[in-house]
Amino acid sequence: MDYRKAAEEIYEKVGKKENLISAAHCATRLRLVLADNAKCDAKAVEEIDGVKGVFSASGQLQIILGTGTVNKVYDEFLAVSGLTAASKEDAKAAAAAKQPFYKQAIKTLGDIFVPIIPAIVASGFLMGIMEALNFMVNNGFLNINTSGSIFVFANLFANTAYVFLPILIAYSAAKVFGGNPYLGAVIGMLMIHPDLQNAWTVATEGVLKTQKVWFGLYEVDLVGYQGHVIPVIIAVFVMCMVEKKLHKIVPAMFDLFVTPLVSVFVTGYLTYSIIGPVFVTIENGIIGGVQQLISLPMGIGSFLMGGLYSTTVVAGVHHMYTVIDVGQLGLYGVTYWLPLASAANIAQGAATLAVALKTKNQRTKSMAVPSAMSCFMGITEPAIFGVNLRFFKPFICGAVGGACGALYASIVGLGATGTGVTGIFGLLLCLHDPINYIIMFLISAGAAFALTWMFGYKDAEESPKAEAKKEETVPVVQIETEANGVYAPVEGRVIPHTEIADATFASGALGSGVGIVPAKGEVVAPFDGEIAMFFDTRHAIGLVSESGTEILIHVGINTVELNGKHFRALKESGEKVKAGERLLEFDMDAIKAAGYDITTAVLVSAPEQVEVVKTGDVKELEKILVVG
């Protein structure tokens, strides 16, 4: 097969680069996200040499090429189309575009703020350090030259990212919305223009100047947008829409002059007269509402939010909290939200540490120790998804610990000078009040650790008989295998491949065989042979027997979308294996809870005669197929 030719023909038939949003692949299929499916000639794609089928699912055009072939065609497709290997992530983003509006909005906020978090963190850390130094100097604890260049310049550096934050947000937002990022930056500059009254002076000086707009219809305050987030994002979104529209209708010879001028002028006028005033009011209402919630008497609101925060991490909606942090920094000079998040993250780490110290299971311990350390540094996903949710009770104990820490933070009014960092390093954002941060840390960690130790985790107990049986079954089962036999790699219920709830497998496009509905999350070698390919997403394995039989073991349907989550590879590509050697472990309950069918396809890839010799319930290594 000519892989380059196949890639070129697919590229032609799907509508070329102008119709391509992203490209990715799984164990068997090339997955394309197209701008307009109507521009793709699916029937012509099906007729291309090497293509075994074409269908649309999950917002993607899925072109079936088969194990091994898909990798080679994919590499050639990237070369032909000009896309990059990172387009696998682009495929996820494109698929996300088909999600409900609120999920798209949350993802968009994350995409805007993640790139600028380092700048916010740097300023926040420096602000905390300078506040701490000023406090120690003013109270006689430290004697340093505050008129020296290092101290003076450091004071200037400390709040720079916050002074010019609208420009950073505008630049990043324009990139996300597909506009010219430099025009976006200009909109950010317009919103903090020095001819506008600085927003941080309004509280003490009042509004000094107004301007009639829309031919005298009403007046607006000529006040800048320092510390604001939502008005900037909305303004840049409008600018990008205007810019894109103008690119389509303005003749090419005038585009360079007309489009930037009109985009900036129209957006600027709309921002000063409508977008700014309206969305400042909305943003202040949201931030004020959040502050009222977490300021409820006796810390009740903070207790609830500290307990629920980790659940929002699981749901993936925590990216929106940067807006709250930045908004509070603009209104109050500190964010009271970040200490709540820090309490929740610290508590989850402590719960994981309790599991690590209590368990005698070396596999659990080896996963829990580094996950706990990572969580204390502010990276919570390994602890939450790898340990706490797996055993569930530690997750609940962590949530309670987070609630207790957040309660204390609220009672003492703990605020942070920046955002983006929690856990141990979050202390650097609270150097103006380090004692209360440390106490909050100890309360969160102590409560979560104690609860997990007492109630949240217990190693599974096994009877002496069960342990003896376990010791007897640890070695690989030795069986007599036939050269033309394929033995069950998974324990469960065997069904014909035609009954698998996936058109690709059921059609036989990838070969004949069976589906197995697993009874346990373990895959073993179905014969003596070699692992031809262990896919990086760990959900699929290609094997070749000593007699040359090629098979594909594909755990679940569309599980490539999990990107390896809930799968643990025990072998690597190129390894020789004996029948019965364990190849893969997977968490059936977690995969099903994520909404995926776990039926495992066992298909003979080469065009050979395949006879199914066993259906219904099977144990591992019962003969299920005869090839020949």
Side-chain angles (χ1 to χ4, degrees), residues 230 277-287:
I230 295 177
V278 170
F279 285 95
V280 160
T281 303
I282 293 173
E283 180 180 271
N284 288 342
I286 293 172
I287 303 303

Side-chain angles (χ1 to χ4, degrees), residues 476-530:
V476 174
V477 177
Q478 299 293 322
I479 65 167
E480 292 290 333
T481 59
E482 298 174 5
N484 64 344
V486 177
Y487 297 79
V490 180
E491 179 181 328
R493 178 169 56 85
V494 175
I495 60 175
H497 74 264
T498 54
E499 295 181 12
I500 300 176
D502 180 274
T504 305
F505 299 140
S507 68
L510 295 175
S512 299
V514 297
I516 303 178
V517 181
K520 64 178 183 178
E522 180 179 273
V523 176
V524 301
F527 44 52
D528 297 345
E530 181 179 337

Side-chain angles (χ1 to χ4, degrees), residues 52-190:
K52 300 177 180 179
V54 178
F55 65 98
S56 294
S58 302
Q60 300 173 335
L61 181 74
Q62 301 189 16
I63 302 171
I64 306 163
L65 293 162
T67 309
T69 302
V70 67
N71 305 68
K72 297 180 176 68
V73 174
Y74 176 69
D75 290 340
E76 296 291 349
F77 189 83
L78 293 181
V80 171
S81 64
L83 297 176
T84 66
S87 56
K88 184 173 183 180
E89 294 303 316
D90 295 338
K92 289 183 179 180
K98 302 179 184 297
Q99 292 180 335
F101 173 78
Y102 73 94
K103 288 189 176 181
Q104 293 183 48
I106 291 168
K107 182 183 182 302
T108 298
L109 289 175
D111 292 342
I112 291 170
F113 281 102
V114 166
I116 64 176
I117 279 178
I120 298 173
V121 168
S123 274
F125 277 174
L126 195 51
M127 286 172 66
I129 292 170
M130 297 311 296
E131 284 190 21
L133 290 175
N134 278 313
F135 175 82
M136 288 187 284
V137 169
N138 294 335
N139 289 276
F141 298 115
L142 195 63
N143 183 21
I144 59 175
N145 181 14
T146 57
S147 61
S149 61
I150 293 178
F151 195 91
V152 171
F153 289 170
N155 261 326
L156 287 174
F157 302 158
N159 67 348
T160 300
Y162 294 100
V163 170
F164 298 103
L165 186 60
I167 299 174
L168 295 177
I169 294 172
Y171 181 88
S172 183
K175 292 180 71 174
V176 170
F177 294 135
N180 184 314
Y182 299 99
L183 293 182
V186 170
I187 297 301
M189 294 172 193
L190 287 174

Side-chain angles (χ1 to χ4, degrees), residues 414-590:
L414 181 62
T417 58
T419 185
V421 178
T422 60
I424 293 171
F425 292 121
L427 176 64
L428 295 176
L429 299 175
C430 298
L431 289 177
H432 59 289
D433 195 4
I435 300 302
N436 279 324
Y437 189 90
I438 293 170
I439 294 172
M440 177 275 290
F441 191 115
L442 294 175
I443 290 172
S444 302
F449 186 94
L451 289 170
T452 305
W453 188 274
M454 292 187 292
F455 311 111
Y457 181 79
K458 186 177 182 182
D459 277 335
E461 293 184 1
E462 295 186 87
S463 66
K465 287 184 179 180
E467 289 192 5
K469 184 177 180 181
K470 182 179 179 182
E471 289 297 323
E472 294 172 1
T473 57
V474 166
V476 174
V477 177
Q478 299 293 322
I479 65 167
E480 292 290 333
T481 59
E482 298 174 5
N484 64 344
V486 177
Y487 297 79
V490 180
E491 179 181 328
R493 178 169 56 85
V494 175
I495 60 175
H497 74 264
T498 54
E499 295 181 12
I500 300 176
D502 180 274
T504 305
F505 299 140
S507 68
L510 295 175
S512 299
V514 297
I516 303 178
V517 181
K520 64 178 183 178
E522 180 179 273
V523 176
V524 301
F527 44 52
D528 297 345
E530 181 179 337
I531 300 175
M533 182 172 293
F534 211 127
F535 290 86
D536 57 1
T537 46
R538 302 189 287 278
H539 73 296
I541 312 168
L543 299 108
V544 181
S545 73
E546 291 181 342
S547 61
T549 298
E550 299 178 11
I551 73 162
L552 169 69
I553 302 174
H554 192 292
V555 180
I557 296 172
N558 287 324
T559 45
V560 65
E561 296 168 359
L562 292 170
N563 201 31
K565 187 178 174 183
H566 309 313
F567 292 91
R568 178 171 177 257
L570 306 176
K571 298 288 183 181
E572 296 180 354
S573 297
E575 284 195 60
K576 301 284 187 182
V577 292
K578 291 288 186 182
E581 280 193 73
R582 293 193 306 149
L583 308 178
L584 173 70
E585 293 177 349
F586 57 96
D587 189 333
M588 295 194 305
D589 294 335

